Amino acid sequence: MQESLQIKAMFDNIASKYDFLNHLLSLGQDFYWRSVMARELYPLRENSLVCDLATGTGDSAKVIAKRGFKVIGVDLSTKMLDISRKKLSNLPFIPSVGSAYELPFKDESFDAITCSFGIRNMHSYDIALKEIRRILKKGGKAIFLEFTIPQNFIKPAYEFYMKYILPNIAGLFSKKDAYEYLYDSIKNFPDPDRFANMLIDAGFVGVKQIPLSFGTVFVHKAFRF
Ligand SMILES: C[S@@+](CC[C@H](N)C(=O)[O-])C[C@H]1O[C@@H](n2cnc3c(N)ncnc32)[C@H](O)[C@@H]1O
């Protein structure tokens, strides 16, 4: 609970510069990552109901809603949600304040759930995954987009960038400590194999993982059994 309040406060604090810094610090790659995640929703029918968990300022929800799906975006941070509400005002999108640990929806409500760069911030992964499974229809899919420490030639340069460059650039425009937390949270997040096992333990099947941008980001997809 205390932890969720701290996360909410941190994202409320950085909300106004969040999108600008996302595009700048990812060198525009975030548009590509989100489009790959949205592509993995198919062959979902048009008008299907998608919950975009930890929707933040709604950049992923926007890509999904533009493809004709109805999206409910859930987040702890009211300031992040305020931005999503304005940005997606002409799209089939409903922002909703809520916690991943106690989602305000009935069992089996959604055809799919997406969660971009959100699960890493949820320290009780098992509770969040159980809730995600609960609100998914049987056969529905959960898709996560998440950072990973790359395990290849790029690792030293990546670590240098994340530790020394990214927080200092972010600090010029926003709260530097939030961007120091970013790297710590990526280091603490399970590697893809472990996350796949967590999905299986939580009752998902058919796990598929797609590495993007030299393995710095992964799409993790699984189905509710
Ligand atoms: C890094 S941002 C990602 C936002 C957006 N999905 C994106 O791709 O840009 C993480 C978001 O997760 C939200 N969040 C963190 N823990 C949460 C929880 N337990 N329940 C709901 N939202 C949560 C934060 O408020 C924040 O908006």
Side-chain angles (χ1 to χ4, degrees), residues 7 11 18 34 54-56 75-77 80 98-100 116-117 121:
I7 294 279
F11 282 100
Y18 179 84
R34 293 174 205 286
T55 197
D75 205 286
L76 287 175
S77 162
M80 297 283 274
S99 164
S116 53
F117 309 113
N121 298 289

Side-chain angles (χ1 to χ4, degrees), residues 17 34 39 47 57 59 65-66 77 85 91 120 122 128-129 146 171 176 184 207-208 219:
K17 293 286 186 308
R34 293 174 205 286
R39 198 179 67 202
N47 286 325
T57 59
D59 268 4
K66 275 188 161 177
S77 162
R85 186 178 294 108
L91 288 167
R120 175 176 37 86
M122 298 168 196
L129 291 179
E146 199 46 86
K176 186 176 176 186
D184 287 340
V207 177
K208 173 182 170 188
V219 173

Side-chain angles (χ1 to χ4, degrees), residues 128-172:
L129 291 179
K130 213 170 140 194
E131 272 296 88
I132 290 171
R133 185 180 181 278
R134 180 185 68 75
I135 65 165
L136 256 186
K137 291 181 188 168
K138 289 200 178 75
K141 61 189 87 169
I143 310 178
F144 303 87
L145 189 60
E146 199 46 86
F147 293 115
T148 308
I149 306 278
Q151 298 303 328
N152 53 31
F153 70 94
I154 209 170
K155 188 175 180 186
Y158 174 87
E159 289 181 332
F160 185 81
Y161 176 71
M162 294 303 287
K163 203 168 167 186
Y164 300 108
I165 299 181
L166 182 145
N168 286 315
I169 296 177
L172 298 174

Side-chain angles (χ1 to χ4, degrees), residues 19 52 55-63 80 83-84 87-88 93:
D19 284 349
D52 186 45
T55 197
T57 59
D59 268 4
S60 290
K62 185 175 170 187
V63 178
M80 297 283 274
I83 295 172
S84 74
K87 204 194 298 180
L88 281 76
F93 171 76

Side-chain angles (χ1 to χ4, degrees), residues 204-223:
F204 290 91
V205 294
V207 177
K208 173 182 170 188
Q209 296 177 307
I210 310 169
L212 303 172
S213 302
F214 300 103
T216 54
V217 169
F218 268 71
V219 173
H220 309 265
K221 175 178 171 181
F223 293 84

